Amino acid sequence: AGILGVVENMRRGTNDSVAGLAVAFGVPFLGSVPFDPTLEEAVGDVDRLRTTATYQAVARIGAAALR
């Protein structure tokens, strides 16, 4: 199995260096998961977890990767 693509984890700011590296190496850039200070407090509470930026980003990236 090959590499599906690159996911940037804990992104802060607007720097696109990870996306640029993926392109430079010919690997699809799937997206970024932002740094989310509310994530730790949401762990263990599924409803609260679903409202975090982390969950939303992972759901979006996962859906796009499955297309």
Side-chain angles (χ1 to χ4, degrees):
I3 296 173
L4 292 176
V6 172
V7 174
E8 179 180 13
N9 189 31
M10 305 291 270
R11 181 180 183 155
R12 292 184 120 171
T14 58
N15 187 324
D16 289 329
S17 61
V18 174
L21 285 171
V23 170
F25 283 96
V27 179
F29 180 71
L30 302 177
S32 297
V33 177
F35 173 76
D36 186 347
T38 68
L39 181 62
E40 187 173 352
E41 295 171 0
V43 171
D45 182 340
V46 175
D47 293 327
R48 191 170 176 188
L49 186 60
R50 288 181 177 148
T51 67
T52 65
T54 300
Y55 179 91
Q56 294 166 11
V58 170
R60 183 181 63 253
I61 293 166
L66 294 174
R67 289 187 204 143

